[in-house]
């Protein structure tokens, strides 16, 4: 999968680039509007990550341009402003999702994968990992052809792990992914611990492999073979 | 005291005083004049009577002229004077008041006492036949001019009152200048210009400050993002020692705290802005039930029991996002600052919403928790802005909010307008 990252902050761009490359994407980056415009004009991408506050232009205009080329390109907006107005405008222009800085890299990764899934496979894809079979469009998880019963949050949790397999996920990023803005309105970290415990239990009980490892002091990691 | 009322009262008082004084003066003038005239006519009549006596004619004409013959000595003792006297009139069978001139006359050794009388225009007659019409006329003039003055004042001051109303509605965060009605009175035009200048300066300063704060907050987001991503990448290193992991994790958590704080501050500033301008009519009963459903899992995990009582069906007009933020904060606090196996109670009535939760006693006066950064027990994990945000949302929607700690329950009550 080919991605274009349009972000003017050099360090941030570098970090995101590295993370995405590790995930197996082919990445390109642009540091400003002009560079981005040229790249969009010349090449095709599966997903474009756009920062809307660029030094020499607006990311929203880039989105308009991308859409005008009638491409089935996924668009993820990243922005320092959590502006409802910008969000609506962006989504109306055809962006798929909106993420506010600062965000967890794992969260961004999950969103990109989700966009790609929707656009490339129309949601008809299958994920096979270790001995788990996941059908995202039906939110079904089965092990050895047997369906396991997961709550909505447990499913979201599992998918988050799988999207970020072999990466260390902090407890905070997990809590924020599952609970969103509400994550800080209660003591979510204990709760995350308990939910992961339940998830692991369900997988093990259904003769799945226990791939969720806890990393001392930080969080968890899903180990995929 | 209201301006027009004050003007009119003053006008009424002074006019009344002048009218009373004026009426009094007129009364006495008329009376004096009529007495003078009466006396003059008496003297004329007396002279006529005297001439008649000299001519040897009798001019007795009771009760107008009465001539008695008396001794010369008596006549010399009479002093000519004008008096009021009651005369009994046989034909009318009653006493009548007359103005009487008593004069002595001596001729040919015979003394005469001449009474010349005229009907007294007494005080009451003056009062009623002349005084009253004049007084009525004066009062009519007073009322008419009162009315005219009132109308004139009203039309002069009307734009002034309109402008007061407009100024009351003015707020520093308005995005239009205050609208002031124009006058053609120079002093008011002056006032208008001053007020316009003043309010525009307030608006401009407020906007600048707001933009400045917003810009600072936004500028903070990107550096925070950089720290966050770098620390997350560092944590991926499998060769990190435990101590390093701990340190990096603390950096990570602190950055999270900073960015949550920043987000909350940005939200606080944005509450009055266009982002949350759209209002909808929302049925609170359904909204609250949905919220409870959302947090049920967490509450169960914390061993908390949530009970809800809906006494009425309540709808309010409010921005949906703000309402969501408000309830998230309220329920979040109720969960966070609770005991194991504690309780949360929610009550909804026609004009208020109450959320109660069991929890530890407060260290300070409850109302202080609405101020920024006033934290309770969970000091490092909370931004200290939760209740401040709730209060802002309430203020924006003209609802009042109250926080008390009673019978071991924290109780927050929101009253709708």
């Amino acid at each position: 999968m080919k991605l274009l990252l349009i972000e003017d902050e050099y360090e941030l761009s570098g970090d995101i680039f590295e993370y995405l490359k590790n995930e197996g994407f082919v990445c390109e980056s642009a540091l400003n509007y002009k560079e981005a415009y040229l790249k969009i004009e010349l090449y095709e991408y599966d997903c474009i990550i756009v920062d809307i506050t660029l030094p020499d232009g607006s990311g929203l205009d880039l989105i308009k341009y991308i859409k005008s080329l009638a491409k089935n390109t996924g668009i993820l907006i990243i922005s320092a402003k959590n502006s409802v107005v910008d969000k609506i405008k962006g989504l109306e222009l055809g962006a798929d999702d909106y993420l506010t800085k600062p965000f967890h890299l794992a969260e961004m990764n999950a969103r990109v994968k989700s966009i790609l899934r929707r656009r490339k496979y129309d949601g008809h894809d299958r994920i096979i990992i270790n001995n788990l079979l996941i059908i995202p469009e039906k939110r079904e998880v089965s092990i050895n052809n047997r369906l396991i019963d997961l709550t909505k949050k447990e499913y979201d949790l599992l998918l988050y792990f799988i999207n970020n397999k072999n990466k260390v996920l902090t407890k905070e990023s997990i809590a924020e992914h599952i609970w969103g803005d509400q994550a800080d309105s209660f003591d979510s970290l204990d709760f995350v611990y308990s939910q992961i415990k339940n998830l692991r239990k369900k997988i093990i009980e259904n003769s799945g492999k226990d791939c969720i490892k806890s990393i001392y002091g930080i969080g968890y990691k899903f180990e995929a073979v | 005291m209201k301006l027009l009322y004050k003007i009119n009262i003053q006008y009424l008082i002074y006019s009344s005083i002048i009218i009373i004084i004026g009426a009094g003066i007129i009364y006495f003038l008329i009376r004096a004049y009529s007495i003078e005239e009466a006396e003059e006519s008496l003297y004329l009549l007396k002279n006529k009577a005297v001439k008649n006596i000299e001519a040897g004619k009798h001019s007795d004409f009771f009760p107008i002229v009465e001539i008695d013959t008396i001794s010369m000595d008596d006549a010399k003792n009479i002093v000519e004077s004008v008096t009021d006297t009651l005369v009994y009139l046989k034909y009318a069978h009653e006493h009548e008041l007359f103005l009487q001139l008593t004069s002595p006359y001596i001729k040919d050794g015979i003394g005469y006492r001449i009474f010349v009388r005229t009907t007294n225009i007494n005080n009451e007659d003056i009062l009623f036949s002349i005084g009253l019409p004049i007084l009525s006329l004066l009062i009519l003039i007073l009322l008419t001019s009162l009315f005219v003055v009132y109308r004139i004042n009203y039309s002069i001051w009307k734009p002034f009152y309109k402008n007061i109303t407009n100024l009351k509605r003015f707020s520093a965060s308005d995005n239009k200048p205050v609208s002031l009605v124009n006058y053609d009175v120079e002093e008011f035009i002056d006032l208008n210009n001053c007020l316009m200048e003043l309010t525009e300066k307030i608006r401009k300063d407020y906007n600048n400050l707001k933009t400045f704060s917003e810009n600072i907050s936004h500028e903070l987001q990107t550096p925070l993002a950089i720290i966050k991503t770098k620390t997350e990448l560092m944590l991926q290193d499998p060769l990190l020692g435990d101590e390093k992991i701990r340190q990096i994790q603390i950096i990570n958590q602190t950055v999270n705290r900073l960015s949550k704080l920043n987000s909350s501050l940005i939200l606080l500033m944005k509450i009055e802005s266009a982002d949350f301008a759209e209002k909808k009519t929302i049925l609170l009963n359904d909204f609250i039930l949905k919220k409870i459903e959302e947090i049920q899992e967490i509450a169960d995990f914390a061993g908390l029991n949530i009970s809800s009582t809906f006494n009425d069906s309540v709808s309010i007009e409010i921005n949906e996002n703000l309402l969501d933020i408000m309830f998230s904060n309220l329920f979040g606090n109720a969960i966070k600052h609770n005991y194991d196996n504690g309780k949360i109670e929610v009550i909804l009535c026609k004009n208020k919403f109450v959320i109660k939760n069991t929890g530890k006693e407060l260290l300070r006066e409850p109302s202080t928790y609405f101020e920024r950064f006033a934290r309770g027990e969970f000091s490092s994990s909370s931004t200290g802005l939760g209740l401040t945000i709730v209060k802002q949302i309430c203020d924006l929607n003209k609802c009042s909010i109250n926080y008390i700690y009673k019978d071991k329950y924290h109780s927050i009550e929101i009253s709708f307008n």
Side-chain angles (χ1 to χ4, degrees):
Chain A
M1 291 285 170
K2 204 156 153 209
L3 304 179
L4 173 63
L5 170 65
I6 309 171
E7 165 62 56
D8 62 311
E9 188 64 50
Y10 183 72
E11 284 297 332
L12 193 58
S13 175
D15 289 341
I16 298 175
F17 194 88
E18 197 185 309
Y19 195 92
L20 291 174
K21 249 180 66 184
N22 269 323
E23 284 297 305
F25 293 111
V26 173
C27 281
E28 277 184 32
S29 73
L31 286 173
N32 55 51
Y33 185 98
K34 219 167 90 183
E35 224 185 300
Y37 194 91
L38 282 170
K39 287 216 154 95
I40 294 168
E41 199 176 30
L42 294 172
Y43 307 113
E44 282 236 9
Y45 298 96
D46 297 297
C47 185
I48 301 182
I49 303 169
V50 195
D51 180 351
I52 50 179
T53 43
L54 296 168
D56 56 339
S58 162
L60 292 173
D61 291 333
L62 282 175
I63 296 174
K64 265 192 246 171
Y65 184 55
I66 297 169
K67 285 294 156 183
S68 78
L69 296 177
K71 294 182 178 176
N72 189 23
T73 311
I75 300 176
L76 171 65
I77 299 176
I78 53 179
S79 170
K81 295 173 157 208
N82 186 10
S83 159
V84 172
V85 172
D86 280 346
K87 205 181 276 196
I88 294 177
K89 230 193 302 181
L91 296 176
E92 273 176 1
L93 286 173
D96 294 86
D97 207 346
Y98 187 108
L99 196 54
T100 315
K101 289 186 223 176
F103 46 78
H104 298 280
L105 288 169
E107 180 66 42
M108 185 203 67
N109 188 24
R111 303 271 184 118
V112 167
K113 290 201 171 145
S114 167
I115 292 173
L116 287 171
R117 185 163 297 129
R118 263 183 277 135
R119 289 210 168 263
K120 287 295 157 183
Y121 304 114
D122 243 347
H124 293 320
D125 60 326
R126 303 265 177 283
I127 306 173
I128 300 174
I129 193 161
N130 297 344
N131 55 354
L132 295 161
L133 168 67
I134 300 162
I135 305 176
E137 69 189 281
K138 294 199 200 139
R139 299 175 78 87
E140 276 178 9
V141 181
S142 31
I143 304 177
N144 298 333
N145 281 323
R146 245 189 26 211
L147 219 61
I148 52 176
D149 181 30
L150 297 176
T151 67
K152 179 178 183 299
K153 296 237 163 21
E154 283 165 354
Y155 174 81
D156 285 339
L157 190 55
L158 183 60
L159 206 60
Y160 191 58
F161 274 123
I162 291 174
N163 278 332
N164 291 292
K165 60 183 189 286
N166 297 323
K167 287 271 182 327
V168 176
L169 296 173
T170 61
K171 275 186 268 188
E172 287 85 13
S173 90
I174 296 171
E176 268 178 48
H177 180 82
I178 308 288
W179 295 100
D181 283 334
Q182 285 182 351
D184 42 299
S185 58
F186 57 92
D187 194 10
S188 47
L189 300 180
D190 277 348
F191 194 39
V192 163
Y193 169 76
S194 131
Q195 285 197 305
I196 293 178
K197 211 169 76 171
N198 290 341
L199 179 63
R200 281 163 103 176
K201 202 162 126 207
K202 281 191 183 168
I203 293 175
I204 294 172
E205 276 173 358
N206 286 280
S207 35
K209 282 218 308 244
D210 179 23
C211 327
I212 301 175
K213 296 276 178 283
S214 88
I215 309 291
Y216 173 72
I218 312 173
Y220 302 90
K221 184 156 96 166
F222 186 95
E223 283 175 352
V225 288
Chain B
M1 192 187 284
K2 293 194 81 166
L3 183 67
L4 289 182
Y5 182 68
K6 197 164 184 147
I7 290 177
N8 283 338
I9 285 285
Q10 300 280 8
Y11 183 77
L12 196 63
I13 292 175
Y14 285 117
S15 305
S16 303
I17 292 176
I18 290 176
I19 283 183
I20 290 172
I21 293 178
I25 292 177
I26 290 177
Y27 170 75
F28 284 115
L29 281 178
I30 290 180
R31 185 159 164 272
Y33 181 73
S34 69
I35 289 176
E36 200 185 302
E37 284 297 300
E39 283 184 11
E40 220 178 276
S41 73
L42 284 178
Y43 278 104
L44 278 174
L45 212 50
K46 181 210 87 178
N47 291 339
K48 201 141 192 259
V50 164
K51 282 213 185 81
N52 281 346
I53 295 175
E54 282 175 1
K57 284 198 235 163
H58 249 276
S59 51
D60 233 39
F61 186 53
F62 186 79
I64 307 289
V65 181
E66 196 182 315
I67 303 175
D68 298 328
T69 340
I70 52 177
S71 70
M72 263 186 18
D73 286 328
D74 286 339
K76 284 195 192 129
N77 285 332
I78 294 177
V79 178
E80 188 172 46
S81 61
V82 175
T83 51
D84 291 313
T85 183
L86 269 174
V87 177
Y88 185 72
L89 302 172
K90 266 199 275 212
Y91 55 86
H93 302 293
E94 67 172 7
H95 284 95
E96 181 83 25
L97 194 64
F98 284 93
L99 195 67
Q100 172 179 280
L101 173 64
T102 315
S103 319
Y105 186 64
I106 301 174
K107 183 184 182 229
D108 302 334
I110 307 174
Y112 296 96
R113 186 171 61 197
I114 309 175
F115 288 122
V116 180
R117 303 190 188 97
T118 175
T119 48
N120 197 353
I121 304 172
N122 64 27
N123 299 337
E124 275 160 39
D125 291 342
I126 299 178
L127 221 49
F128 285 119
S129 59
I130 300 177
L132 204 59
I134 290 184
L135 193 65
S136 311
L137 187 66
L138 287 174
I139 290 177
L140 190 66
I141 293 175
L142 171 68
L143 290 176
T144 309
S145 56
L146 196 69
F147 178 73
V148 168
V149 164
Y150 177 79
R151 292 295 302 173
I152 292 175
N153 274 318
Y154 182 76
S155 69
I156 289 181
W157 290 101
K158 187 160 158 197
F160 183 81
Y161 284 119
K162 183 90 186 38
N163 284 339
I164 289 183
T165 312
N166 287 347
L167 281 170
K168 277 194 192 154
R169 285 204 217 110
F170 173 75
S171 152
S173 55
D174 284 349
N175 46 19
K176 278 192 313 212
V178 67
S179 68
L180 296 175
V181 181
N182 273 324
Y183 306 100
D184 52 5
V185 176
E186 207 179 295
E187 289 86 352
F188 286 158
I189 292 177
D190 237 353
L191 181 65
N192 256 12
N193 289 338
C194 281
L195 284 173
M196 205 51 155
E197 227 179 276
L198 189 64
T199 53
E200 280 305 283
K201 184 159 192 307
I202 291 176
R203 246 170 27 98
K204 194 165 134 227
D205 287 347
Y206 177 81
N207 260 320
N208 284 343
L209 201 60
K210 192 156 162 261
T211 311
F212 181 62
S213 309
E214 282 176 5
N215 287 343
I216 293 181
S217 286
H218 290 139
E219 287 304 310
L220 285 177
Q221 301 282 51
T222 302
L224 285 174
I226 296 174
I227 302 176
K228 198 167 172 151
T229 53
K230 287 254 181 276
T231 53
E232 278 187 19
L233 282 177
M234 278 160 76
L235 290 174
Q236 301 297 332
D237 185 356
L239 299 174
L240 280 177
D242 282 352
E243 187 53 31
K244 283 272 175 299
I245 288 180
R246 203 181 72 84
Q247 287 170 341
I248 296 172
Q249 185 54 334
I250 291 177
I251 295 176
N252 204 3
Q253 283 166 352
T254 311
V255 167
N256 278 335
R257 226 173 100 196
L258 267 176
S259 88
K260 285 204 187 95
L261 182 61
N262 202 23
S263 301
S264 296
L265 279 173
I266 292 178
L267 177 62
L268 207 55
M269 285 189 286
K270 277 225 209 116
I271 286 177
E272 287 182 30
S273 78
D275 269 10
F276 297 111
E278 194 193 319
K279 287 194 181 183
K280 257 175 32 189
T281 312
I282 299 178
L283 182 61
L284 282 182
N285 306 53
D286 289 346
F287 199 89
I288 295 173
L289 281 174
K290 206 172 71 170
K291 221 32 184 175
I292 295 179
E293 208 182 295
E294 272 171 35
I295 61 165
Q296 192 65 57
E297 235 184 307
I298 307 165
D300 289 341
F301 176 68
L304 300 172
N305 175 275
I306 307 180
S307 70
S308 58
T309 316
F310 295 115
N311 291 329
D312 292 291
S313 222
V314 184
S315 292
I316 57 172
E317 226 182 278
I318 190 174
N319 176 276
E320 196 168 358
N321 291 326
L322 286 182
L323 191 63
D324 193 56
I325 291 169
M326 190 170 85
F327 279 117
S328 288
N329 282 0
L330 288 172
F331 279 108
N333 277 356
I335 294 173
K336 229 189 215 168
H337 301 109
N338 213 324
Y339 298 127
D340 266 341
N341 302 314
K343 284 199 179 47
I344 299 179
E345 268 177 55
V346 166
I347 305 165
L348 181 65
C349 304
K350 189 131 185 220
N351 50 10
K352 68 175 186 226
F353 166 82
V354 183
I355 176 167
K356 291 160 73 163
N357 63 280
T358 49
K360 239 164 111 168
E361 226 177 288
L362 291 173
L363 298 168
R364 295 201 304 272
E365 185 62 39
S367 57
T368 60
Y369 286 92
F370 290 120
E371 290 163 30
R372 282 180 231 235
F373 309 122
R375 283 189 194 79
E377 223 188 274
F378 278 58
S379 54
S380 67
S381 66
S382 82
T383 56
L385 291 174
L387 282 178
T388 311
I389 290 174
V390 170
K391 180 159 195 307
Q392 271 277 67
I393 298 176
C394 285
D395 286 348
L396 183 70
N397 288 281
K398 312 250 190 299
C399 301
S400 66
I401 181 168
N402 207 10
Y403 181 9
I404 52 172
Y405 182 76
K406 209 170 87 154
D407 302 329
K408 302 228 186 292
Y409 269 91
H410 293 268
S411 173
I412 294 186
E413 182 178 308
I414 297 177
S415 308
F416 313 121
N417 41 13

